[in-house]
């Protein structure tokens, strides 16, 4: 077997020290890295106090007035957990407002941001838009919304390709600010925003959702070399912190793989792929089902069963149906992947393409499932 060492072996290091230094943790930081604490959590004010204040004022104002707020659910694991965290958090404090005034938008494909939902927002007479985990660069869409007097709060972690001052939106984004952790996903930014709201409203409610923080950061493959991210992923997956009905159920269902204690590795292999399969290959109804099973107040509601061979009038909990749907959609995705691969392999064989160094396929619509291609 051929292999190349990342770094020469240091005889004075233990195996653990060697691995960690190879991964970029300085030797002097190893003990700290292995024993992180809540002191490693950054101050939310580093996300920009003025903007946090403006965003909170807009949101609390909307709640006060009973305005309509829409939340745009980004189409991946981090996006789902980001929006679910925000809605769950608000439900704890303002249940009837959430039930009556918050509507959410789930993209019909893999879209991100505001591009496909501006008209929907205007048609639904929304008064405030919140975009977790996306939207930083959607200047034109934001301008259009502001022309309709609809303010936009963006809680994001993607690099800006625009000048912030060109956008009318309130953009809270770790990449823009002195916030030291740049390996923090959208759900982390949302969580910090909720901690800021906690500081205004009293209470410690944001910490009820650490499992979502852990799952979103894992889904976006944020680097575990970041001490804050590593700490929050470990903390969020501590068994006592698994409170989200979706995460709890998928853990129980897959305990033979995930074990007594979910690890970031376990979540990356046995939870995130189910969410991503739903986002890529699920129907709109299936996406709604999975998203709503991440909402504490919706997950345990009883809905008509769609189990094979169910009796008339039979019901089941939404989160139980979600578990079955996850498995079905993942299998459907695997079948679509296999069919796509078979199609390409046939093309390679028929046209003897193997002599080429790189293969690029120009596909006709329908040849490979559109959610698999790319
Ligand atoms: Mn993200």
């Amino acid at each position: 077997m051929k292999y190349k060492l990342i770094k020469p072996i240091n005889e004075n290091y233990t195996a653990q020290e060697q691995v960690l230094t190879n991964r970029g943790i300085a030797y002097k930081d190893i003990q700290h890295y292995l024993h992180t604490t809540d002191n490693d959590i950054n101050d939310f004010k580093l996300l920009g106090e003025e903007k946090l204040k403006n965003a909170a004022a807009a949101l609390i104002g909307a709640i006060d007035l009973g305005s309509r707020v829409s939340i745009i659910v980004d189409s991946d694991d981090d996006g789902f957990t980001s929006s679910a965290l925000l809605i769950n958090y608000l439900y704890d404090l303002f249940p009837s407002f959430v039930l009556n005034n918050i509507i959410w938008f789930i993209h019909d494909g893999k879209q991100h941001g505001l591009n496909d939902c501006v008209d929907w927002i205007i048609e639904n007479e929304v008064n405030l838009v919140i975009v977790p985990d996306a939207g930083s660069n959607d200047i034109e869409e934001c301008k259009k919304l502001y022309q309709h007097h609809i303010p936009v709060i963006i809680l994001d972690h993607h690099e800006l390709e625009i000048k912030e001052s060109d956008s009318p939106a309130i953009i809270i984004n770790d990449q823009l600010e002195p916030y030291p952790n740049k390996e923090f996903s959208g759900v982390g930014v949302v969580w910090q925003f909720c901690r800021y709201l906690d500081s205004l409203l009293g209470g410690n409610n944001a910490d009820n959702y650490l499992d979502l923080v852990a799952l979103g950061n894992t889904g976006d493959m944020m680097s575990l070399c970041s001490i804050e991210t590593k700490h929050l992923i470990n903390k969020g997956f501590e068994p006592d912190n698994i409170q989200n009905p979706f995460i709890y159920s998928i853990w129980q269902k897959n305990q033979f793989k995930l074990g007594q204690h979910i690890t970031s590795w376990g979540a990356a292999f046995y939870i995130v792929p189910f969410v991503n399969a739903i986002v890529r290959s699920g129907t709109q109804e299936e996406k709604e089902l999975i998203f709503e099973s991440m909402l504490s107040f919706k997950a345990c509601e009883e809905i008509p069963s769609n189990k094979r061979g169910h009796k008339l009038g039979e019901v089941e909990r939404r989160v139980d149906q979600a578990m079955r749907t996850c498995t079905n959609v993942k299998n459907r995705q695997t079948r679509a992947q296999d069919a796509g691969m078979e199609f390409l392999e046939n093309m390679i064989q028929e046209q003897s393409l193997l002599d080429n160094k790189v293969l690029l396929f120009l596909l006709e619509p329908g040849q490979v499932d559109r959610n698999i291609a790319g």
Side-chain angles (χ1 to χ4, degrees):
M1 192 165 73
K2 275 191 189 167
Y3 60 87
K4 217 176 120 196
L5 293 176
I6 299 175
K7 275 183 190 161
I9 292 171
N10 185 328
E11 302 286 348
N12 301 320
Y13 285 177
T14 63
Q16 189 180 49
E17 287 165 351
Q18 184 74 58
V19 168
L20 289 174
T21 49
N22 285 354
R23 298 294 181 275
I25 309 293
Y27 183 78
K28 65 171 176 45
D29 295 332
I30 287 178
Q31 283 316 309
H32 179 190
Y33 184 79
L34 293 174
H35 307 284
T36 58
T37 66
D38 285 349
N39 293 329
D40 295 309
I41 295 169
N42 289 302
D43 186 346
F44 47 74
K45 287 187 191 134
L46 295 169
L47 287 170
E49 227 178 325
E50 203 50 38
K51 287 192 272 182
L52 288 168
K53 211 161 119 186
N54 293 339
L59 176 58
I60 293 169
I63 294 170
D64 250 1
L65 290 170
S67 307
R68 181 173 280 188
V69 175
S70 79
I71 293 178
I72 310 304
V73 182
D74 196 48
S75 49
D76 60 26
D77 174 86
D78 186 32
F80 269 45
T81 51
S82 300
S83 287
L85 192 155
L86 184 62
I87 296 171
N88 282 329
Y89 173 86
L90 292 174
Y91 183 84
D92 274 353
L93 300 171
F94 312 103
S96 68
F97 177 80
V98 171
L99 292 179
N100 299 313
N101 299 63
I102 289 192
I103 53 174
W104 52 84
F105 180 93
I106 299 183
H107 303 282
D108 64 6
K110 291 180 289 184
Q111 302 95 328
H112 299 282
L114 287 163
N115 193 271
D116 57 336
C117 49
V118 171
D119 295 338
W120 175 87
I121 292 166
I122 295 167
E123 275 160 29
N124 278 283
E125 296 176 356
V126 165
N127 308 102
L128 171 68
V129 178
I130 307 180
V131 192
D133 189 33
S136 290
N137 293 306
D138 294 345
I139 289 196
E140 292 313 317
E141 291 82 356
C142 288
K143 281 185 181 161
K144 189 164 175 196
L145 291 171
Y146 274 79
Q147 277 164 11
H148 285 81
H149 310 290
I150 307 171
V152 181
I153 301 172
I154 284 166
L155 302 167
D156 193 13
H157 69 119
H158 293 93
E159 294 277 356
L160 257 78
E161 290 151 15
I162 56 151
K163 231 169 76 204
E164 188 190 4
S165 55
D166 289 344
S167 173
I170 303 170
I171 306 177
I172 296 172
N173 182 326
D174 60 336
Q175 309 295 339
L176 271 179
E177 307 297 331
Y179 197 89
N181 183 8
K182 305 298 181 196
E183 287 289 334
F184 207 31
S185 76
V187 74
V189 175
V190 171
W191 177 71
Q192 287 285 37
F193 177 61
C194 292
R195 290 180 74 222
Y196 173 68
L197 294 176
D198 274 342
S199 77
L200 301 178
L201 303 168
N204 220 345
N205 291 301
D207 284 356
N208 295 334
Y209 303 105
L210 287 167
D211 50 356
L212 288 168
V213 176
L215 186 61
N217 273 286
T218 304
D220 259 18
M221 293 189 283
M222 293 293 106
S223 171
L224 288 171
C225 291
S226 154
I227 288 211
E228 179 183 45
T229 300
K230 182 250 183 195
H231 178 66
L232 287 169
I233 288 179
N234 282 357
K235 188 170 178 178
F237 284 142
E238 272 170 23
D240 286 349
N241 285 331
I242 306 291
Q243 296 186 21
N244 186 269
F246 175 83
I247 302 177
Y248 180 80
S249 297
I250 206 164
W251 176 37
Q252 294 305 305
K253 197 173 168 236
N254 294 298
Q255 221 178 39
F256 62 101
K257 285 176 183 154
L258 288 166
Q260 299 292 317
H261 194 142
I262 302 175
T263 61
S264 71
W265 190 89
F269 280 89
Y270 301 114
I271 303 180
V272 173
F274 287 103
V275 181
N276 286 336
I278 292 284
V279 175
R280 293 182 75 118
S281 303
T283 62
Q284 205 58 21
E285 218 181 354
E286 288 164 340
K287 290 183 211 179
E288 288 279 350
L289 173 71
I290 299 321
F291 182 66
E292 289 187 1
S293 72
M294 289 185 183
L295 300 180
S296 317
F297 56 100
K298 285 219 155 236
C300 296
E301 275 176 5
E302 293 200 319
I303 56 172
S305 174
N306 66 358
K307 226 185 275 177
R308 196 177 291 203
H310 67 271
K311 294 188 194 74
L312 196 67
E314 200 174 309
V315 292
E316 62 182 331
R317 294 188 318 158
R318 180 172 275 120
V319 65
D320 294 330
Q321 191 168 113
M323 290 300 111
R324 215 172 44 250
T325 302
C326 275
T327 315
N328 292 344
V329 174
K330 185 85 182 62
N331 291 341
R332 194 195 307 156
Q333 190 194 41
T334 308
R335 281 199 300 275
Q337 258 162 7
D338 292 348
M341 279 312 286
E342 201 181 304
F343 178 84
L344 296 181
E345 276 166 14
N346 285 338
M347 236 169 125
I348 293 169
Q349 218 163 38
E350 278 163 19
Q351 302 174 30
S352 314
L353 298 174
L354 275 184
D355 294 336
N356 300 297
K357 285 230 161 61
V358 179
L359 293 178
L360 252 176
F361 295 98
L362 187 63
L363 295 169
E364 306 277 336
Q367 287 180 326
V368 169
D369 188 311
R370 73 184 173 99
N371 293 312
I372 303 295

